[in-house]
């Protein structure tokens, strides 16, 4: 009975938030469903009205995973040789942008450390764009303040999801070109087998990549295994198609937006005005810096501006690839670059943070000894 109650509460919560997403989508802003859902979810979670009975930790994580799984299947059906061609043609630019993202993340963490009350280790982990699910766990292992890392990481995703689509909309309007979704809206019985095969491939991919401890396994594992299933079927002389209406992407936006917004609550902001203000400024600077770099990359290469911005934006993998799907950008390329960024951040920055922490501790010991 209790599980059924939580299920209906979550469905009601997402329906209310999704209604706000629908209203925002009417304005013509891309990713309006996710932006509106995110804003309403954050507002309801912070205000905590009496008629809304939701756990303080937000809606259960499986809703977010379902949203990522839907998006992964969509991306897997789009993955083709053009992604690898773009990588081959722009690999040097991609690597330089990844290094720049690491530099700007370090600069953001340095600003947060110097101008807030957070310690050095917490500041750097909180500013690293390595994913909301990965960084708090790594911060806990290193001895940083996991709660503050989670709060600032959530706020960064919130800012990026809200700002990047709106900035793109103001810059270029509502795009109508680039990649067209392969989704079909009408159901035919012959597509039932294809749908079942792709869903099974998606489940297997998410499970496998979770065992391998990849970032966002429900998105990345799903995308890769679905793409492999389609590739194998094409090699065998069978075009694997599925019943995949475009409304599924709307559901994905609602699930992802509601999951992020539901994790905000009043206690997060008590006594943290100065820290959150500095974090907001450093995160805004990080977003604007990457936006400018993406513009320079687009001007210097054949990479479309929309694809460049979404690929290098310091947001979540699922959030930026969702925006890429709605903007009709090269969503598979965006997902691939976002994964590379998360992997680079998770592999390079945490050991470097620990090294800086050791140096800082030695410096403090030497200053105490000399005193």
């Amino acid at each position: 009975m209790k599980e059924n109650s939580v299920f209906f509460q979550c469905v009601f919560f997402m329906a209310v938030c999704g209604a706000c997403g629908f209203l925002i989508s009417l304005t013509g802003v891309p990713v309006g469903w996710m932006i509106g859902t995110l804003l309403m979810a954050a507002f309801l979670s912070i205000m905590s009205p009496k008629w809304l009975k939701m756990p303080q930790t937000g809606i259960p994580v499986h809703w977010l995973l379902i949203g990522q799984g839907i998006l992964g299947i969509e991306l897997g059906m789009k993955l083709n040789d053009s992604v690898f061609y773009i990588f081959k043609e722009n690999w040097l630019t991609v690597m330089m942008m990844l290094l720049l993202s690491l530099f700007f993340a370090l600069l953001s963490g340095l600003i947060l450390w110097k101008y807030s009350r957070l310690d050095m280790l917490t500041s750097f982990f909180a500013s690293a764009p390595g994913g909301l699910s990965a960084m708090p766990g790594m911060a806990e292992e290193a001895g940083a303040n996991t709660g503050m890392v989670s709060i600032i990481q959530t706020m960064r995703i919130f800012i990026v999801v809200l700002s990047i689509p709106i900035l793109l909309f103001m810059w270029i309007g509502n795009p109508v070109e680039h990649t067209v979704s392969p989704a079909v809206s009408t159901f035919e019985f012959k597509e039932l087998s294809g749908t079942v095969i792709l869903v099974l491939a998606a489940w297997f991919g998410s499970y496998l990549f979770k065992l391998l401890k990849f970032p966002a396994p429900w998105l990345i594992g799903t995308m890769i295994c679905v793409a492999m299933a389609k590739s194998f079927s094409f090699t065998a002389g069978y075009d694997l198609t599925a019943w995949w209406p475009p409304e599924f992407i709307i559901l994905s936006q609602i699930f992802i937006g509601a999951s992020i917004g539901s994790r905000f609550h009043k206690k997060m902001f008590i006594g943290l005005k100065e820290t959150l203000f500095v974090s907001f400024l450093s995160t805004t600077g990080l977003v604007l810096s990457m936006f400018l770099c993406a513009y320079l990359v687009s001007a210097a290469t054949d990479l479309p501006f929309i694809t460049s911005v979404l690929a290098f934006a310091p947001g979540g993998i699922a959030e930026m690839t969702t925006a890429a799907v709605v903007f009709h950008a090269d969503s598979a390329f965006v997902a691939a670059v976002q994964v590379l960024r998360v992997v680079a951040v998770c592999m390079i920055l945490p050991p470097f943070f620990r090294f800086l922490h050791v140096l800082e501790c030695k410096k403090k010991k030497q200053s105490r000894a000399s005193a």
Side-chain angles (χ1 to χ4, degrees):
M1 291 294 292
K2 186 177 180 181
E3 292 181 356
N4 290 335
S5 177
V6 173
F7 173 78
F8 286 114
Q9 287 172 0
C10 292
V11 171
F12 177 69
F13 177 79
M14 288 188 291
V16 174
C17 298
C20 182
F22 170 71
L23 294 177
I24 298 296
S25 70
L26 294 179
T27 63
V29 176
V31 208
W33 282 94
M34 186 161 66
I35 292 176
T37 302
L38 177 61
L39 286 173
M40 180 57 73
F43 174 77
L44 292 177
S45 299
I46 292 173
M47 298 306 295
S48 298
K50 294 181 179 180
W51 52 269
L52 184 67
K53 297 180 180 179
M54 291 292 295
Q56 291 186 348
T57 55
I59 63 177
V61 69
H62 59 256
W63 291 104
L64 174 63
L65 300 182
I66 293 172
Q68 291 183 356
I70 293 173
L71 180 60
I73 295 175
E74 173 76 12
L75 295 176
M77 292 191 294
K78 289 183 175 181
L79 195 61
N80 51 44
D81 293 340
S82 64
V83 178
F84 304 103
Y85 175 77
I86 293 175
F87 256 115
K88 181 180 177 181
E89 293 295 316
N90 302 284
W91 67 270
L92 182 60
T93 302
V94 171
M95 296 305 297
M96 289 179 61
M97 286 298 297
L98 290 177
L99 291 176
L100 274 177
S101 67
L102 296 180
F103 170 76
F104 286 130
L106 288 172
L107 183 60
S108 178
L110 182 63
I111 293 172
L112 185 60
W113 174 38
K114 293 296 184 181
Y115 297 99
S116 72
R117 298 179 181 178
L118 296 180
D119 60 272
M120 184 187 69
L121 206 57
T122 301
S123 299
F124 280 121
F125 271 102
S127 302
L132 183 58
S133 58
M135 296 317 297
M138 293 183 177
E140 185 176 8
E141 292 177 0
N145 188 331
T146 309
M148 286 305 306
V149 171
S150 300
I151 292 170
I152 296 175
Q153 286 282 342
T154 303
M155 191 176 76
R156 175 179 57 83
I157 298 296
F158 189 90
I159 292 172
V160 173
V161 170
L162 288 180
S163 62
I164 292 296
I166 293 175
L167 285 173
L168 285 175
F169 179 65
M170 293 172 61
W171 190 293
I172 60 174
N174 205 348
V176 294
E177 299 179 359
H178 305 304
T179 307
V180 178
S181 174
V184 291
S185 58
T186 57
F187 176 76
E188 296 181 11
F189 185 77
K190 66 179 182 179
E191 296 171 341
L192 179 60
S193 59
T195 305
V196 172
I197 292 173
L198 291 183
V199 170
L200 289 175
W203 177 84
F204 173 77
S206 63
Y207 181 76
L208 176 63
F209 276 61
K210 184 178 180 180
L211 289 178
L212 297 175
K213 296 184 178 180
F214 269 70
W218 278 80
L219 173 64
I220 305 307
T222 296
M223 177 184 70
I224 292 177
C225 284
V226 166
M228 290 178 63
K230 282 186 66 67
S231 178
F232 289 151
S233 69
F234 184 77
T235 304
Y238 176 73
D239 186 15
L240 188 64
T241 58
W243 179 71
W244 204 252
E247 288 77 16
F248 280 6
I249 293 299
I250 294 176
L251 280 179
S252 175
Q253 292 184 60
I254 292 174
F255 291 162
I256 294 173
S259 297
I260 297 173
S262 67
R263 281 157 177 75
F264 283 85
H265 51 83
K266 286 183 180 179
K267 293 182 180 179
M268 292 174 62
F269 306 99
I270 296 177
L272 299 175
K273 290 183 179 180
E274 178 184 339
T275 300
L276 292 178
F277 179 70
V278 175
S279 176
F280 173 80
L281 291 180
S282 63
T283 301
T284 303
L286 177 63
V287 172
L288 292 177
S289 299
M290 297 307 296
F291 194 88
L292 177 61
C293 289
Y295 172 75
L296 295 176
V297 167
S298 176
T301 65
D302 295 331
L303 203 62
F305 177 61
I306 302 176
T307 302
S308 179
V309 170
L310 295 175
F312 301 120
I317 300 172
E319 292 78 15
M320 292 301 98
T321 47
T322 303
V325 170
V326 177
F327 267 101
H328 307 303
D330 193 334
S331 51
F333 178 78
V334 170
V337 175
Q338 286 286 337
V339 171
L340 284 178
R341 177 181 56 79
V342 170
V343 171
V345 168
C346 292
M347 290 181 62
I348 298 173
L349 290 187
F352 184 66
F353 295 159
R354 295 188 187 98
F355 173 71
L356 292 178
H357 180 62
V358 170
L359 291 181
E360 182 67 14
C361 290
K362 288 183 178 179
K363 185 178 178 180
K364 287 182 179 179
K365 287 181 180 179
Q366 290 176 357
S367 62
R368 289 174 185 172
S370 60

